[in-house]
Amino acid sequence: MSVRRRKGIPKATPNKTKPSRDINKRLAFDAQAFLDSAGVSRKTMEFTKKETIFSQGDPAANVLYIQTGGVRLSVVNESGKEAVVAVLGPGDFFGEGCLARQPLRIGTATAITATTTLVIEKKEMIRVLHAEHAFSDRFINFMLARNIRIEEDLVDQLFNSSEQRLARTLPLLAR
């Protein structure tokens, strides 16, 4: 039995609302390209060795990503005693406290070598974290790895001798 079409009704055409896989690949978000480039809501900044990137008590309005170089995060108490909280390198984020509504920086970030950072405005960072899964996965993986490292450092500080702590710290600094 043959199927007859009524006059005036067009022949069915395939649904063309979905883009092809090739277009999806071309339009896919590239997290590394985002972190390697500047834009409207992000800019690259260069710092010399020992230059302060931000100080304890400064407004927390952006997240930074280290493209090249290294950064030391430290805090100073009321009596002036300084403690180094972290040493970060290429591929690391810092200053993310602003995303958790932290109004002021709780520490100081200082370049330990010539350093290039990508400064991402808070609004742009939140937008990209919500919109781009590849980027949010990368950021969450970084944050979890850093949390684990901080926990290990705390356990190390509480239970190991100074010689054991030094032996653990030297390879971390050499990375």
Side-chain angles (χ1 to χ4, degrees):
M1 180 192 295
S2 65
V3 178
R4 296 174 66 181
R5 282 189 303 132
R6 291 189 304 189
K7 281 188 174 184
I9 298 176
K11 184 177 176 181
T13 57
N15 184 357
K16 294 186 179 182
T17 58
K18 291 183 182 179
S20 71
R21 286 186 178 168
D22 293 336
I23 292 172
N24 282 340
K25 286 180 184 177
R26 283 185 281 156
L27 298 177
F29 181 80
D30 185 350
Q32 191 58 50
F34 175 83
L35 293 168
D36 288 341
S37 64
V40 174
S41 297
R42 59 191 196 280
K43 60 183 175 186
T44 56
M45 294 185 71
E46 295 186 2
F47 299 92
T48 60
K49 183 178 181 176
K50 296 186 180 182
E51 187 175 357
T52 300
I53 297 168
F54 60 73
S55 296
Q56 191 169 327
D58 285 352
N62 48 43
V63 176
L64 296 98
Y65 173 79
I66 303 171
Q67 292 176 330
T68 62
V71 174
R72 181 184 76 222
L73 301 178
S74 59
V75 294
V76 178
N77 68 10
E78 299 82 28
S79 62
K81 185 175 178 181
E82 182 181 25
V84 175
V85 177
V87 176
L88 305 173
D92 290 343
F93 292 91
F94 64 105
E96 68 284 344
C98 69
L99 299 174
R101 296 190 177 120
Q102 188 178 69
L104 302 174
R105 303 285 189 196
I106 60 169
T108 298
T110 308
I112 53 177
T113 63
T115 300
T116 303
T117 64
L118 179 68
V119 180
I120 309 166
E121 290 180 13
K122 177 183 172 180
K123 280 181 155 182
E124 174 70 354
M125 187 70 172
I126 291 170
R127 184 196 68 75
V128 174
L129 286 171
H130 284 123
E132 304 299 343
H133 296 291
F135 183 78
S136 58
D137 287 348
R138 181 177 179 154
F139 183 73
I140 289 170
N141 284 336
F142 167 77
M143 293 303 300
L144 290 172
R146 191 162 91 186
N147 244 14
I148 290 167
R149 193 171 64 233
I150 289 169
E151 286 177 4
E152 290 171 347
D153 291 345
L154 181 58
V155 169
D156 193 36
Q157 183 71 29
L158 292 171
F159 297 112
N160 292 333
S161 68
S162 58
E163 292 85 5
Q164 289 172 317
R165 289 195 309 268
L166 179 62
R168 182 176 174 273
T169 303
L170 289 174
L172 290 174
L173 291 174
R175 78 171 180 140

